[in-house]
Amino acid sequence: MKNTKPKVLVVDDDYAGLEFLVISLEILNYNVIKATCVDEAQKTILDAGIDTFDCVLTDYRMPGKSGLDLLDWLMSQDDSLSTIIATAEGEKTLVQRSLRSGAIDFLEKPVNRTLLKNAIAKGIELTAKKRSQKLLNQGIKEAGKMRQIFAGVDSTIGSLFNYFLHPLSDVGGDFINTLHLSNNKYLLILGDVSGHDIRAAFISAYFQGLMRGLCSKETPIEEIASSFNDILNKEWSTPDSSNLSATRSSLCFLSALIDLDKNNISLINCGLPEAYITYNSGNTYCHKNGYSPLGWIENEDFKSENLSTKDLSSILAFSDGALDLAQKLNVHTLSLCYYLLYTQSDSSIIKESKDDILAARFQINTSQDSSSSPHPIIFETIPGNEFQIIDIYMEKWSNSLKLIFSNKLNNLDDILMGCREVTLFSLMQICGRKSTQFTVFQLIYFSKNNTITILIEDSDYNETDLNLKQNHIQAKQEAISLITDFCHSTSVNDQTGQIILNFKLDFNTENQLLIKNDKD
Amino acid sequence: MIKTSFIESSKKLLIKFESDLLSTKLEEYSRIIQLAIDQHQNIQLLDIDLNTIDMMDSLGLNLLVNLAKLSSRKKIKAKLYVTDPTIHRVLMFSRMDKVIEIGYGEEVI
């Protein structure tokens, strides 16, 4: 029958001292194994297996190898096994050294029975804790390896898809998954599960497996979301739910089911930041329709939004970690995404992040590649009253362009001047400085031609008073005529009232920006 | 850090988060909040002040949802206060407004 008593190895060359310790510990109901020297202790441990021992108590002074030699050896074999050193009175230096080397405690000889009892109990408890933590860490590492297997990015999607994923830990957090469902049908899933432990790893893998399996059988994504929401909700509504510190899980995800044959994208976003959808012209909009993360709200009625792919160029999505990092760097999140997806000449900026970072872009227009398609770099919706803080925006825009173009733009000041003038005009003259009126500022980069287009849109877009709209358009034309010297070309769309400025990028080196089309 | 105070006249419990709402601090935060809620059985209003935080992770958001659900069960009227635009954006795209009332740019009275 297996001995279930905690197993303690006692090592002492002094027979009387050894017997005293053995008897004292046996009375305390421990399974005590004895050795009279370090070599014998090592052999005993190797024969029985180090993980069968719960604590080691060793004398320091022994002929040949000392207790510290045994401690060093034990630490190299299994640093979770607690070791206690018994020393003669007054050996302070030795005590300090043994504690530094990993001993958990020391006992002065002659050993006091109460102190012995407490030290051994503490040692056994610590060994159990360390071993349990070790097992957990090992499990997390294994789960991390499994994540690499489950979290698939289908290689057949190839150049249509670019992504950047920087996980902070082995498991949990952000994930990305793609599925090539048929010839021209793709599923893209970005997600973020709360926590970075085995529970998070399990939820993440289960969700991704469920999505891949059910989507390949054409189950509607709404049904999958609803079913998974029910699963997570059960945990939130347990009798333990009044306990604030009880761990509960939530899962954010954005899925895009892209069917190029049917010219349709089916989008659903549960708790991730808004996706940005860009047209072939460069015009971009922020897709705001969304739900809470799965787990938060019971019986949520999920509905995907269907968009036509006609004239669409790309879709860009990212996790909240990208938002945080962009704020920290004082750049626009879209600029950061572009940097992470295509340039990334300096990876040290990632170290600033306290969260996972995920960014992904899907090329919807298959006749373009990432170099010939437009890239939104800045997208801001600015209330009219924020004309007063235009310089705060300017600083962020300047940092954004410097990040992407590595400080190599000769005409950066011209571009910024153009941005400032037209934005101020729109905020002050069209929005009337009102907090309820908005100017949408877009800066789009066309890497193939090395040009930047700035688009300024305001309430004129939906203005029904045609006389007012015409007056505004005329005023805008006059305003941009003052900055034509800075720009390659300027115009005002007479249908939408949108101001358009084009800049040809002027680099101060012969090398233009290198674009990395494919992820390694 | 986190501070709690109870205003007897309005039966209002105020919870002020003074540092980031991250998973590493949640156990401590939960303990302090739980203690404050248990100490005052007659709470009618709960104001959660996020005006001085810069960052919040997914487990931090879960704590707020937990707190909102607990308030709802106890029939306490809860409200979140936030001034940082990025934190507000996170609350909006995660649709926290469906779980708890949010006061953006408002001062906690």
Side-chain angles (χ1 to χ4, degrees):
Chain A
M1 199 176 132
K2 196 182 168 195
N3 192 339
T4 54
K5 294 176 189 173
K7 192 169 166 184
V8 181
L9 175 67
V10 182
V11 190
D12 197 338
D13 62 310
D14 173 47
Y15 181 76
L18 182 63
E19 282 308 307
F20 166 78
L21 292 170
V22 169
I23 291 165
S24 304
L25 292 172
E26 278 177 346
I27 290 169
L28 294 168
N29 212 22
Y30 293 124
N31 173 18
V32 187
I33 311 292
K34 55 188 174 184
T36 53
C37 66
V38 172
D39 288 339
E40 189 190 344
Q42 288 174 336
K43 187 176 181 309
T44 306
I45 284 171
L46 289 174
D47 287 348
I50 195 160
D51 56 344
T52 64
F53 290 89
D54 298 288
C55 189
V56 173
L57 168 62
T58 178
D59 184 25
Y60 168 65
R61 286 194 192 283
M62 289 182 284
K65 292 175 187 165
S66 73
L68 273 185
D69 293 325
L70 178 61
L71 173 64
D72 289 343
W73 181 80
L74 286 168
M75 294 302 288
S76 71
Q77 298 293 309
D78 176 5
D79 60 4
S80 53
L81 178 61
S82 300
T83 305
I84 299 160
I85 308 266
T87 64
E89 196 182 350
E91 292 183 305
K92 265 194 180 169
T93 319
L94 173 70
V95 169
Q96 284 167 353
R97 205 185 132 198
S98 61
L99 290 175
R100 269 202 304 272
S101 300
I104 63 126
D105 208 346
F106 71 96
L107 292 169
E108 263 184 2
K109 291 171 91 176
V111 174
N112 172 298
R113 272 199 177 155
T114 310
L115 293 178
L116 173 71
K117 179 184 165 186
N118 294 342
I120 296 289
K122 182 178 136 194
I124 290 168
E125 192 188 336
L126 204 60
T127 301
K129 265 190 192 166
K130 281 186 181 171
R131 282 185 177 153
S132 155
Q133 188 59 44
K134 213 173 197 174
L135 214 58
L136 190 68
N137 291 344
Q138 207 175 329
I140 288 173
K141 276 208 158 44
E142 288 300 318
K145 281 184 202 161
M146 291 305 285
R147 175 168 80 165
Q148 303 305 321
I149 297 167
F150 286 125
V153 173
D154 203 314
S155 59
T156 56
I157 295 183
S159 59
L160 293 178
F161 181 63
N162 291 84
Y163 77 99
F164 176 89
L165 174 61
H166 178 77
L168 268 193
S169 55
D170 288 319
V171 292
D174 295 353
F175 60 85
I176 178 103
N177 214 310
T178 64
L179 198 58
H180 193 168
L181 293 163
S182 61
N183 192 27
N184 269 324
K185 194 173 176 183
Y186 305 93
L187 175 70
L188 168 64
I189 309 163
L190 278 77
D192 181 6
V193 64
S194 59
H196 285 102
D197 51 10
I198 289 186
R199 142 201 289 268
F202 180 80
I203 290 168
S204 175
Y206 187 83
F207 177 76
Q208 290 176 72
L210 201 69
M211 281 292 263
R212 288 177 72 93
L214 292 176
C215 282
S216 63
K217 299 288 176 199
E218 303 208 333
T219 306
I221 289 170
E222 295 92 329
E223 276 183 32
I224 305 168
S226 184
S227 154
F228 208 76
N229 189 44
D230 289 346
I231 292 170
L232 293 183
N233 249 304
K234 278 182 193 161
E235 193 184 29
W236 285 81
S237 49
T238 55
D240 195 30
S241 54
S242 297
N243 182 1
L244 277 179
S245 55
T247 312
R248 291 169 189 97
S249 300
S250 57
L251 186 141
C252 304
F253 83 98
L254 179 146
S255 82
L257 187 61
I258 302 159
D259 191 336
L260 296 175
D261 288 336
K262 290 184 180 167
N263 289 322
N264 186 70
I265 302 179
S266 182
L267 261 183
I268 188 162
N269 185 353
C270 299
L272 274 195
E274 311 89 346
Y276 286 80
I277 295 165
T278 302
Y279 287 87
N280 293 327
S281 63
N283 250 316
T284 297
Y285 83 93
C286 181
H287 184 266
K288 288 198 169 173
N289 182 33
Y291 296 91
S292 294
L294 302 185
W296 282 11
I297 295 176
E298 278 178 80
N299 305 318
E300 184 85 88
D301 184 18
F302 297 102
K303 282 193 175 62
S304 295
E305 191 180 344
N306 289 300
L307 310 168
S308 166
T309 58
K310 191 172 175 287
D311 298 329
L312 289 188
S313 172
S314 64
I315 176 167
L316 177 75
F318 46 85
S319 65
D320 56 346
L323 270 182
D324 288 331
L325 181 59
Q327 191 195 20
K328 204 164 274 178
L329 299 169
N330 195 21
V331 297
H332 196 279
T333 316
L334 296 184
S335 307
L336 178 67
C337 288
Y338 183 87
Y339 178 80
L340 297 174
L341 290 170
Y342 298 110
T343 62
Q344 213 197 127
S345 51
D346 174 15
S347 60
S348 66
I349 65 163
I350 303 299
K351 287 177 192 155
E352 299 272 324
S353 177
K354 284 184 183 172
D355 201 353
D356 308 318
I357 299 170
L358 171 61
R361 180 184 183 274
F362 191 91
Q363 183 70 43
I364 297 165
N365 183 344
T366 51
S367 66
Q368 295 175 326
D369 61 22
S370 59
S371 69
S372 57
S373 61
H375 293 275
I377 298 295
I378 299 170
F379 184 102
E380 307 267 17
T381 304
I382 313 171
N385 62 333
E386 291 197 356
F387 72 93
Q388 298 173 90
I389 55 165
I390 188 74
D391 289 335
I392 294 176
Y393 284 103
M394 293 294 293
E395 193 185 347
K396 183 163 69 166
W397 300 346
S398 171
N399 291 342
S400 300
L401 292 173
K402 283 175 183 168
L403 175 72
I404 293 173
F405 301 113
S406 318
N407 284 321
K408 288 177 184 167
L409 269 183
N410 271 338
N411 56 341
L412 176 67
D413 289 343
D414 290 349
I415 296 168
L416 292 172
M417 178 68 83
C419 293
R420 183 189 165 91
E421 292 306 311
V422 287
T423 307
L424 272 178
F425 175 82
S426 177
L427 293 171
M428 295 167 78
Q429 304 300 322
I430 311 298
C431 297
R433 309 179 184 202
K434 292 177 196 154
S435 61
T436 49
Q437 300 276 317
F438 297 91
T439 291
V440 177
F441 174 91
Q442 298 178 53
L443 191 149
I444 317 294
Y445 175 49
F446 293 85
S447 55
K448 194 175 183 182
N449 307 321
N450 266 317
T451 56
I452 273 179
T453 296
I454 288 157
L455 303 169
I456 305 282
E457 191 176 292
D458 45 44
S459 56
D460 283 343
Y461 191 86
N462 296 315
E463 184 58 67
T464 50
D465 182 340
L466 295 179
N467 279 338
L468 181 67
K469 189 172 187 169
Q470 196 48 48
N471 289 343
H472 281 173
I473 287 172
Q474 205 173 338
K476 283 175 181 174
Q477 281 164 341
E478 283 167 19
I480 59 172
S481 69
L482 302 172
I483 55 167
T484 46
D485 288 350
F486 302 125
C487 316
H488 188 64
S489 65
T490 59
S491 61
V492 180
N493 185 313
D494 53 14
Q495 300 296 313
T496 61
Q498 195 176 47
I499 302 174
I500 303 154
L501 308 182
N502 290 306
F503 291 88
K504 184 92 187 155
L505 299 183
D506 174 16
F507 292 100
N508 60 12
T509 62
E510 286 181 4
N511 296 329
Q512 292 188 334
L513 191 71
L514 294 174
I515 305 299
K516 195 166 71 174
N517 283 321
D518 299 312
K519 294 295 292 180
D520 295 330
Chain B
M1 263 313 291
I2 182 173
K3 274 186 187 161
T4 63
S5 53
F6 184 68
I7 303 162
E8 190 63 51
S9 56
S10 53
K11 309 278 183 234
K12 184 197 278 185
L13 178 66
L14 173 65
I15 298 169
K16 184 175 172 62
F17 288 91
E18 293 184 327
S19 57
D20 293 343
L21 195 41
L22 299 173
S23 52
T24 46
K25 297 167 184 168
L26 290 189
E27 211 165 300
E28 184 194 352
Y29 289 173
S30 303
R31 193 173 40 77
I32 295 169
I33 297 169
Q34 189 83 58
L35 194 69
I37 291 174
D38 293 345
Q39 266 176 355
H40 307 284
Q41 294 299 319
N42 52 349
I43 304 167
Q44 288 177 7
L45 299 168
L46 173 66
D47 283 355
I48 305 161
D49 185 352
L50 303 178
N51 284 341
T52 50
I53 70 164
D54 296 320
M55 237 192 122
M56 183 164 54
D57 63 14
S58 50
L59 288 173
L61 281 168
N62 281 1
L63 174 68
L64 296 178
V65 175
N66 233 336
L67 201 48
K69 290 191 176 212
L70 181 66
S71 305
S72 167
R73 274 194 299 274
K74 289 179 175 276
K75 309 228 179 307
I76 298 169
K77 192 173 181 299
K79 186 170 177 179
L80 269 182
Y81 291 83
V82 57
T83 46
D84 183 278
T86 307
I87 298 285
H88 181 247
R89 190 173 162 194
V90 172
L91 295 176
M92 293 317 287
F93 70 65
S94 61
R95 301 307 313 269
M96 183 66 85
D97 57 320
K98 286 168 110 177
V99 182
I100 186 170
E101 188 186 350
I102 298 171
Y104 180 41
E106 294 176 28
E107 280 210 30
V108 187
I109 303 161

